[in-house]
Every structure is written in C-alpha cells, then in structure tokens.
C-alpha cells in the first residue's frame, strides 16, 4: 500500500462558539468535513460523514469511493428524518483515499461542497478540487473574477452538500501517488483567511506535517478566525510508481458530476468579534431546500383532489340525473338512476307503478326489461301511464 505521514489541526476560530468541522485520519482514508445547520446539526452531519468514511478502507476504484460518499450522505439524510430538530443539516466532504486499482496504487479524491484539497509543489499551490459554490459558478461563467470571489459576500453559499437529497453529486479524481508529494485537505475557514501564497509558504517551511497543519490553522485564526479552521496535511512517503510516465499534475482521471440543481444556502451573518447577535454565529450556513418543493407538491395534491372531486360529483350527477321505467321483481317501477348503475351508484326505486310484469303488453316487455330511460320524472310517469293503458289490465 501507499504509505502516508500526516498531521492535523483544527480550531473553533475567534468568532464561532462551536466547531462543526470534523476530520478523519484512518489511513489510507483521510477526510475533512465542514458541517452546517443550526441546533448542532452541523456537528452531527460532519460526524456522521467521517464515521461512515472510516469504513471505506478497501476502496478499489473511484466508483467505490463515490459509493462510500453516497452511503455517508444517506446516513445523514436518514438521521435528519428521524430527528426533526436536525432537519436541514448538511456537510461538505473532501476525502483523500489510498487505493489499489487492479495492481496499481492510486490516490482517490472525492469532493462535495467547498472544502478543498490542494497539492503543494516546489513552485505553487495547486487547488485540485473545484468548489461547489455560487461564486465559483459565477467565476466559471465569467461573471465574477477570481479576485472578486475571494471577498464576495455570498462566497459561503454552497451548491452541493451531503445530507440534502437522497443522492449527492460527487466529483472524483484518480491520482498517481508520488513519494514526496504533499497534500492539504482543509475547510473554508483556512483559505478564507490565508491567501494561497501564505499557505504555500507554510507548507514549504514546515517539513513535519503536524507542524505544517498547526501553523496553517494558527495563521488562519490569527488572521481573523471568522470560521472554524481545519487543516489536514498528508504526505506520500512511499509508493510503487509503476507508471512509465507520471503526469505532472498527477491526475490519471477526473470524474465530475454534472450539477442538476442548486441549493440555496443562507450566507453567514457578517461576523466580527463585536457582532451584536452572537447566537446567529452558530448558524454557519443553513441549508434550506427550495421552498417550492413543498408548496409545489401541496399544490399538486390539491389539484389532484380537486380534479377527483369534480369527477366524482360529475359521476354522481350523471348517475342520479336520469329516470327509467324497469322491473323490480314482479313489479313495474320507475327508477332513479341508470339501468346498469354507474360505478358504485345503483339505481333506486323512485315510484311504484301499479302494474306487474305479467300484465304488460308483450310488445312492451323487452323494452321494460331493459329499462326505458328519461331525463325527467314526469316523462317516465307518462310512459308508465301509457304502459298501463296498453296493458292487459285494461283489456275487457
Ligand atoms: Mg466552514
């Protein structure tokens, strides 16, 4: 297997009252998850995410890795169904996993949300993952510059998170492991405070991964610490590189899920040490399902009920709006309704006609057995009177 050395650090920061970031170091699985949602939901969501990812030890492909993330997502969704106070909780997730793909050692990377994975080289800090945020979308569309995105007031609106839908869109990468490579998994509290050159400088200066992680987090907290800060530095210390040519960017393959929906997240309040509403600070980023899902469903159900109601009353009206002359046992009677009934509305006897079947004119008999229909009761009465006229009763 690939061998790793790693170091971690996390801090609640200077403003928030609890730390909703979680990390996992269960080699070959490394994860950072940044929870969101009030009432401790964020902590619960990120804790479930790392617990579930700890089980992803035997990952043998990026598809396995995606499955592991889907399992974690499902666990969070299920939990928030059971505990209503946790409803709306979610978490980001960035994972780095050593895996054997066939007989090749690989590093799998998975990302959902706006935590990041960087690779530090001698020259630069390369952001491998792509943020699933509103501002990132705007940057990609050319509506915002990368520089503007750094300070955009809505930069914390994420477009993907675990715990929201039954399925989550996961981006993955397959990398060739190279001894000496250094990766950083981190929550947004790090790169919101430290610019990339500062992050790179610390990673190059601090050889020990634990020292590097501590320095990164310390730097971000000192720079403002407006959010929880988490850094997990992972070094590749040994790997069998069987590839003849290792790509400069280490990337063997990329799998990017195509987004089909955008989740609207409330931006965090403008926070500072003197924020007058400290309670609001607990709400890191509240995920809300678009409300139209709820009212659209309600509207649909109401429309269906309305249509059913209208249909039912039409059926009743149709079933009950006619009369016919027919037979009831031996008697000729006037029924209200339709001869064969309509659905479960059977005709009912409206009036007796003083006439028996045996007294009917034989020529009238087939019609009466079948039932002779009229729209109005009076017409049915007239017909019954005519039957009586023609009947054998009047025969001398
Ligand atoms: Mg955060």
């Amino acid at each position: 297997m690939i061998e790793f050395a790693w170091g971690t650090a996390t801090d609640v920061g200077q403003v928030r009252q609890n730390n909703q970031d979680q990390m996992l170091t269960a080699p070959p699985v490394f994860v950072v998850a940044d929870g969101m949602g009030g009432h401790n939901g964020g902590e619960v969501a990120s804790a479930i995410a790392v617990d579930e990812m700890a089980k992803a030890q035997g990952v043998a492909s990026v598809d396995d890795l995606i499955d592991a993330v889907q399992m974690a997502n499902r666990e969070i969704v299920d939990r928030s169904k059971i505990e209503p106070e946790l409803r709306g909780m979610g978490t980001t997730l960035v994972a780095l996993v050593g895996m054997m793909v066939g007989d090749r050692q690989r590093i799998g990377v998975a990302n959902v949300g706006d935590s990041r994975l960087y690779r530090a080289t001698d020259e630069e800090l390369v952001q491998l993952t792509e943020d699933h945020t509103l501002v990132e979308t705007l940057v990609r569309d050319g509506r915002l510059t990368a520089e503007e995105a750094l300070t955009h007031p809505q930069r914390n609106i994420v477009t993907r998170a675990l715990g929201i839908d039954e399925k989550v869109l996961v981006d993955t990468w397959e990398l060739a492991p190279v001894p000496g490579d250094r990766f950083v998994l981190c929550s947004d509290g790090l790169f919101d405070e430290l610019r990339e050159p500062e992050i790179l400088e610390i990673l190059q200066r601090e050889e020990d991964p634990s020292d590097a992680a501590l320095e990164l987090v310390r730097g971000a907290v000192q720079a403002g610490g407006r959010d929880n800060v988490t850094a997990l530095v992972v070094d590749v210390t040994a790997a069998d590189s069987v590839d003849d040519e290792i790509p400069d960017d280490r990337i063997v393959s990329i799998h990017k899920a195509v987004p089909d929906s955008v989740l609207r997240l409330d931006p965090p309040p403008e926070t500072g040490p003197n924020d007058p509403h400290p309670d609001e600070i607990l709400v890191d980023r509240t995920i809300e399902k678009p409300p139209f899902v709820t009212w659209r469903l309600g509207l649909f159900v109401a429309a269906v009920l309305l249509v059913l109601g209208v249909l039912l009353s039409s059926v009743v009206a149709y079933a009950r709006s006619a009369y016919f002359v027919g037979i009831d046992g031996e008697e000729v009677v006037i029924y209200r309704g339709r001869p064969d009934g309509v659905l479960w509305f059977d005709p009912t006897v409206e009036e007796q006609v003083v006439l028996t079947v045996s007294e009917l004119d034989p020529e009238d008999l087939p019609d009466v057995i079948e039932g002779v229909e009229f729209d109005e009761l009076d017409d049915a009465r007239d017909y019954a009177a005519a039957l009586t006229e023609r009947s054998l009763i009047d025969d001398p």
Side-chain angles (χ1 to χ4, degrees):
M1 281 304 280
I2 310 168
E3 286 172 29
F4 299 100
W6 62 93
T8 66
T10 187
D11 196 289
V12 67
Q14 293 195 46
V15 177
R16 315 252 174 198
Q17 297 188 348
N18 53 356
N19 193 345
Q20 301 190 319
D21 288 356
Q22 302 267 356
M23 55 195 159
L24 173 73
T25 52
V29 183
F30 301 91
V31 176
V32 165
D34 178 353
M36 56 200 89
H39 298 102
N40 301 324
E43 285 153 282
V44 174
S46 55
I48 295 172
V50 299
D51 286 352
E52 286 299 311
M53 291 303 292
K55 301 173 187 167
Q57 295 291 323
V59 164
S61 67
V62 288
D63 287 337
D64 285 358
L65 184 53
I66 292 171
D67 288 347
V69 177
Q70 295 293 0
M71 291 275 282
N73 176 63
R74 180 61 60 95
E75 281 297 314
I76 299 167
V77 169
D78 288 351
R79 180 73 178 274
S80 57
K81 281 181 186 163
I82 297 167
E83 293 184 50
E85 70 274 17
L86 297 176
R87 202 168 150 264
M89 68 175 173
T91 184
T92 71
L93 180 143
V94 62
L96 180 154
V97 179
M99 55 189 192
M100 287 300 297
V101 179
D103 59 357
R104 298 198 167 193
Q105 295 180 343
R106 296 291 193 211
I107 290 173
V109 172
N111 183 52
V112 176
D114 68 347
S115 295
R116 287 182 182 173
L117 182 130
Y118 292 103
R119 185 169 67 88
T121 73
D122 290 341
E123 296 86 33
E124 59 178 343
L125 189 68
V126 181
Q127 182 187 337
L128 186 82
T129 53
E130 191 172 86
D131 298 345
H132 302 132
T133 58
L134 182 63
V135 292
E136 184 59 34
T137 309
L138 295 176
V139 170
R140 260 204 311 278
D141 293 351
R143 292 155 68 189
L144 209 63
T145 67
E147 196 61 33
E148 287 167 335
L150 290 174
T151 53
H152 195 281
Q154 292 181 306
R155 65 186 178 280
N156 291 305
I157 297 178
V158 302
T159 49
R160 289 188 213 172
L162 273 71
I164 308 305
D165 287 319
E166 298 289 325
K167 282 254 174 192
V168 64
L169 297 167
V170 187
D171 291 348
T172 55
W173 292 258
E174 188 177 327
L175 310 179
V178 178
D181 276 359
R182 169 166 279 189
F183 297 93
V184 183
L185 293 79
C186 63
S187 62
D188 61 340
L190 181 75
F191 56 81
D192 269 355
E193 302 292 358
L194 296 183
R195 294 292 162 259
E196 292 182 357
E198 297 173 289
I199 295 173
L200 180 63
E201 188 274 320
I202 292 170
L203 289 169
Q204 289 176 337
R205 171 162 46 92
E206 302 295 340
E207 200 172 313
D208 180 78
S210 295
D211 291 343
L214 280 169
E215 283 304 306
L216 287 172
V217 170
R218 186 177 300 160
V221 173
Q222 280 174 358
R226 287 164 292 178
D227 192 2
N228 305 145
V229 189
T230 298
L232 168 46
V233 178
V234 181
D235 292 338
V236 179
T237 54
D240 297 331
S241 301
V242 294
D243 297 294
D244 298 334
E245 285 178 40
I246 291 171
D248 282 346
D249 62 5
R250 310 297 193 248
I251 297 172
V252 177
S253 70
I254 301 177
H255 166 107
K256 279 192 188 159
V258 179
D260 59 3
S261 67
V262 171
L263 300 170
R264 174 81 192 186
L265 304 192
D266 286 336
E270 282 302 313
T271 53
N274 301 319
D275 190 280
H277 306 291
D279 284 347
E280 288 180 356
I281 299 166
L282 293 174
V283 183
D284 183 356
R285 288 164 296 177
T286 306
I287 307 172
E288 283 181 302
K289 280 206 164 201
F292 67 80
V293 170
T294 317
W295 67 250
R296 199 166 58 180
L297 181 65
L299 206 63
F300 174 73
V301 170
V304 168
L305 288 176
L306 187 70
V307 168
L308 284 178
V310 167
L311 272 176
L312 189 67
S313 50
S314 310
V315 167
V316 173
Y318 170 76
R320 305 294 294 161
S321 65
Y323 298 87
F324 69 96
V325 176
I327 53 179
D328 178 25
E330 284 296 300
E331 307 292 328
V332 177
V333 296
I334 300 175
Y335 283 100
R336 182 169 185 187
R338 305 278 171 179
D340 297 319
V342 175
L343 298 180
W344 54 93
F345 300 101
D346 289 331
T348 53
V349 175
E350 183 79 6
E351 281 181 18
Q352 300 285 340
V353 178
V354 188
L355 187 66
T356 64
V357 175
S358 55
E359 292 164 343
L360 277 172
D361 183 320
E363 285 189 16
D364 288 326
L365 191 59
D367 292 341
V368 175
I369 287 172
E370 203 158 300
V372 183
E373 290 186 68
F374 301 94
D375 289 337
E376 302 294 333
L377 181 58
D378 283 345
D379 295 338
R381 284 173 179 153
D382 290 348
Y383 177 72
L387 285 179
T388 308
E389 283 282 313
R390 290 195 292 272
S391 74
L392 307 177
I393 306 174
D394 286 341
D395 282 359

